[in-house]
Each structure stands twice: as C-alpha cells, then as structure tokens.
C-alpha cells in the first residue's frame, strides 16, 4: 500500500465529518446515528445521499449549492473519500459529511423514510452478466433505497454508459416506478434539466469523451 494512501487513512481518523463504522456494528444494528441524523446535522433539513461518491466532488458541490439541505457522500474507498471530507472542512461546510461503508448496508445506517433524495454519478455499469448483482440500480438495490427514502422521493442517475441508462429505464419501468426525466445528451439537449446535473466530477472532466446521459425516477 502506497505511503500516500496510508497518510490519507490516518488523516481520515481526524475528520469529524467522515464516519467509518465497523461492518459488524452495522450488521448488528449498532450504528447509533440510524434514525438520528438530524442530531448530527443539528437541523431537520432534508438529507440527500450520493452513493459511490468517489472523491466526493458532487457531494461537496451540492452542499455548496444547496445550503438548506444536508448531504452525505458514501463510498467504501477511504483514500478517495478523503478529498471530499478535507475540502468540506477547508470550506467550513456544515451541511455535508462522508460515510465509508458498503452501499448494500445503507438500510443499517438510515431509518425508514429518513432520506429525501439519492444521486448516483458515474457508477460502474458492471456490464458483464456475472457482475449484474453489483449494479447499483438493480432491483435488490432499489428495494433497499425504497426502505430509507421518503414517499415520492427522486433517484438520479448521471452516466456516460448507454447500457446503464437503458438498463435503469428497464428496471424502473419493470418495478412500476415513475420516470420523471430521461435524456441521452444533457449538455446539448435544450430540454435537459440543468442546475444540479451540470456539476462535473473529476472523472467526467478528464476521462469521459462520451455523451452524458441522465435518468430521474420517483420511488413512491
């Protein structure tokens, strides 16, 4: 393991906006903030998640843009999530935090109806059939999201994968979920929603030369 990673892991321990619960505590329902996130943020504002947040740029930018909402970026990669946590501290953002845990355990982190919205930005499409259970928008994951979301909440997907875009539409329609928006090229389509989806991650700026697509569906 590189020295830079070790340095970041050590620094992560000092961040009060980065939580790293043990898997065994989550599995055994011992996470003390479940159902009590308003105590952490010290307000009752809506809570928005970014799942698979990577370096946390989207979470950080959303928190900057919407000060009357709370944002939580979730990822299992500690060396990546370090940047979002550090930048948020540097900017003194109080409406954002980061959580290092596996996404399949988020119903152990949040109570029923505790979350108002979910964002997924450039998740791994897991194209191979044998990897389908890892797609963050398969039926099993959506059922988990439904547990923690309030009624009529929105789930957003921003991706450069046409495969994942189409797969998500098929899953949502198959589960009877309402498709709110579906755009295949958000930066050239006049009718594409703007504002929040115009935030660009490091990945999008540097590596993606494909058209960026967007899907938004409602979980009732």
């Amino acid at each position: 393991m590189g020295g830079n990673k070790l340095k970041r892991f050590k620094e992560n321990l000092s961040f009060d906006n980065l939580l790293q619960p043990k898997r065994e505590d989550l599995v055994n329902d011992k996470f003390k903030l479940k159902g009590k996130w308003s105590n952490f943020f010290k307000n009752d504002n809506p809570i928005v998640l970014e799942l698979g947040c990577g370096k946390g740029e989207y979470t950080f930018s959303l928190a900057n843009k919407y000060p009357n909402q709370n944002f939580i970026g979730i990822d299992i990669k500690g060396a990546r999530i370090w940047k979002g946590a550090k930048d948020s501290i540097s900017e003194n953002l109080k409406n954002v935090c980061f959580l290092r845990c596996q996404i399949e355990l988020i119903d152990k982190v949040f109570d029923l109806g505790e979350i108002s919205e979910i964002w997924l930005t450039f998740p791994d499409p897991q194209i191979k059939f044998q990897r389908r259970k890892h797609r963050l928008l398969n039926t099993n994951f959506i059922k988990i999201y439904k547990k923690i979301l309030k009624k009529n909440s929105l789930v957003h997907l921003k991706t450069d994968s046409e495969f994942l875009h189409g797969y998500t539409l098929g899953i949502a329609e198959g589960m009877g979920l309402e498709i709110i928006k579906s755009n295949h090229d958000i930066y050239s389509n006049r009718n594409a929603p703007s504002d929040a989806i115009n935030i660009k991650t490091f990945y999008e700026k540097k590596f993606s030369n494909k058209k960026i697509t967007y899907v938004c569906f409602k979980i009732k």
Side-chain angles (χ1 to χ4, degrees):
M1 184 180 294
N4 197 39
K5 278 190 176 182
L6 290 174
K7 182 180 177 181
R8 290 184 177 185
F9 288 153
K10 184 177 180 179
E11 195 170 3
N12 281 347
L13 297 174
S14 69
F15 294 156
D16 58 6
N17 67 345
L18 173 54
L19 307 178
Q20 303 184 81
K22 295 179 181 178
R23 178 182 173 86
E24 62 190 62
D25 287 342
L26 296 180
V27 171
N28 293 317
D29 283 319
K30 293 182 179 180
F31 185 66
K32 294 181 180 180
L33 281 175
K34 182 177 180 179
K36 299 178 181 178
W37 280 94
S38 59
N39 293 341
F40 177 87
F41 287 110
K42 297 180 174 58
N43 62 60
D44 293 317
N45 293 339
I47 299 174
V48 180
L49 304 184
E50 185 194 0
L51 304 180
C53 69
K55 296 187 178 198
E57 313 106 297
Y58 222 89
T59 304
F60 171 83
S61 297
L62 286 170
N64 247 327
K65 190 180 287 285
Y66 303 106
N68 293 323
Q69 298 181 60
N70 299 317
F71 296 88
I72 302 175
I74 300 177
D75 206 290
I76 195 62
K77 301 289 187 179
R80 293 180 186 173
I81 210 170
W82 165 89
K83 178 170 174 50
K86 190 174 182 68
D87 287 349
S88 298
I89 290 173
S90 297
E91 293 295 322
N92 198 32
L93 291 179
K94 302 299 185 183
N95 64 326
V96 59
C97 76
F98 294 87
L99 182 69
R100 188 184 180 196
C101 79
Q102 293 171 304
I103 293 172
E104 58 264 32
L105 295 177
I106 60 172
D107 60 335
K108 303 292 186 178
V109 176
F110 305 103
D111 210 349
L112 299 175
E114 195 169 17
I115 302 304
S116 296
E117 206 167 340
I118 288 177
W119 278 86
L120 295 103
T121 57
F122 301 96
D124 189 330
Q126 306 288 0
I127 292 176
K128 293 183 179 180
F129 181 76
Q130 61 268 33
R131 297 286 299 173
R132 65 194 183 282
K133 68 179 182 179
H134 298 289
R135 294 172 194 156
L136 295 181
L137 285 158
N138 66 29
T139 54
N140 289 333
F141 274 111
I142 290 177
K143 288 176 182 177
I144 293 174
Y145 305 157
K146 188 173 182 178
K147 290 181 183 179
I148 64 173
L149 283 167
K150 299 179 186 300
K151 288 186 178 180
N152 297 315
S153 293
L154 299 180
V155 176
H156 308 266
L157 168 68
K158 187 178 179 184
T159 180
D160 61 357
S161 170
E162 284 286 351
F163 164 79
L164 186 59
H165 181 96
Y167 172 84
T168 300
L169 287 176
I171 290 291
E173 290 173 357
M175 295 181 72
L177 306 176
E178 181 182 355
I179 306 297
I180 304 299
K181 291 282 185 181
S182 175
N183 294 102
H184 288 273
D185 188 355
I186 61 174
Y187 296 125
S188 65
N189 188 335
R190 291 181 182 178
N191 296 319
S194 56
D195 204 14
I197 64 166
N198 285 328
I199 297 168
K200 292 188 177 182
T201 65
F202 173 83
Y203 169 83
E204 184 177 353
K205 290 176 182 177
K206 189 167 183 178
F207 296 112
S208 181
N209 56 5
K210 302 177 184 178
K211 291 180 180 179
I212 307 303
T213 75
Y214 171 73
V215 175
C216 174
F217 59 88
K218 182 184 292 187
I219 293 187
K220 299 180 180 179

